[in-house]
Amino acid sequence: MPGIGIYDGVFSEEQSLQWYQFLVYRCKFRYGETDRSDLPPTGMIINIRKRNTIENDDEIIKEIHDYLLNIITTIIPSFNENSLIRSYINLFIPNEIPYFHQDDSCGTTCMFYINPVTPIDEGGETQFYIDGNIKGVCPVPGRLVTFDGSLVHRATSFRNIPRITLVYKFIDFNKLYNTYR
């Protein structure tokens, strides 16, 4: 799919399950992320970082965050801490219906699926609206998905368990500069 990168096996299924259990059973999420101003909030969130400010002091969350950030910067060397504008953990409860939205027209979103192995009928894919069609990326544990922040997309929830992703948003300063020139 144009504008979308998929990287499998960036961490193990066992590691994904361990992080999933920690995040679901031991962490405090706050209600709601508003994807567009005309829509109500959906999901739950733990903010980790906004620009250069660390917003979460949980050592295990910071360890997971830094480990996955290192994976991103290894796979895509042009991304670095200076271009990271936000990172957070999303949780959608079963059968929640999130909205389509865009992230940032001058950036790239990197998203890790942190969940157990699930059957295809469980759902949980990320849907992209491309050329009048909806295309999905399955929630494979240990998968990194990168995409142009201007792509219209949404999460879908699982049927029976919470869906968790760890999201990093990077800004492309050259694109930003050229947009506002």
Side-chain angles (χ1 to χ4, degrees):
M1 290 181 273
I4 300 169
I6 299 173
Y7 306 87
D8 284 332
V10 298
F11 54 90
S12 70
E13 290 176 6
E14 294 78 20
Q15 184 65 74
S16 185
L17 182 58
Q18 182 182 2
W19 289 339
Y20 179 85
Q21 290 171 339
F22 168 76
L23 293 167
V24 168
Y25 298 113
R26 293 194 41 212
C27 292
K28 292 182 181 178
F29 287 79
R30 73 167 175 78
Y31 173 69
E33 177 83 347
T34 304
D35 291 319
R36 295 191 331 239
S37 61
D38 61 324
L39 299 172
T42 60
M44 294 188 278
I45 191 166
I46 296 174
N47 280 312
I48 301 173
R49 181 175 166 175
K50 265 191 184 168
R51 294 177 185 78
N52 291 324
T53 305
I54 301 295
E55 296 196 346
N56 191 291
D57 61 358
D58 185 290
E59 288 301 319
I60 296 174
I61 289 177
K62 282 196 258 184
E63 185 179 307
I64 295 167
H65 175 272
D66 292 348
Y67 178 81
L68 295 177
L69 179 59
N70 185 56
I71 289 172
I72 294 170
T73 58
T74 300
I75 293 171
I76 309 166
S78 61
F79 292 166
N80 58 55
E81 283 197 52
N82 295 327
S83 60
L84 177 62
I85 57 171
R86 185 171 180 220
S87 55
Y88 55 95
I89 302 167
N90 264 336
L91 182 148
F92 290 101
I93 62 171
N95 298 307
E96 189 167 357
I97 305 173
Y99 298 99
F100 280 98
H101 63 281
Q102 294 172 291
D103 289 342
D104 190 317
S105 62
C106 294
T108 299
T109 300
C110 298
M111 182 172 60
F112 291 94
Y113 293 103
I114 300 177
N115 51 269
V117 174
T118 56
I120 189 74
D121 288 330
E122 185 68 20
E125 74 276 4
T126 302
Q127 296 179 337
F128 294 91
Y129 185 72
I130 300 172
D131 298 328
N133 295 297
I134 295 175
K135 302 186 182 225
V137 175
C138 293
V140 174
R143 173 174 278 177
L144 165 62
V145 177
T146 63
F147 57 93
D148 183 315
S150 66
L151 288 176
V152 176
H153 65 282
R154 74 171 178 178
T156 65
S157 63
F158 289 125
R159 289 180 187 271
N160 299 298
I161 61 172
R163 176 193 190 262
I164 293 184
T165 55
L166 203 155
V167 180
Y168 298 78
K169 294 184 178 178
F170 293 89
I171 194 77
D172 180 335
F173 289 107
N174 291 327
K175 197 173 183 182
L176 181 66
Y177 174 76
N178 290 328
T179 298
Y180 295 103
R181 253 173 80 166

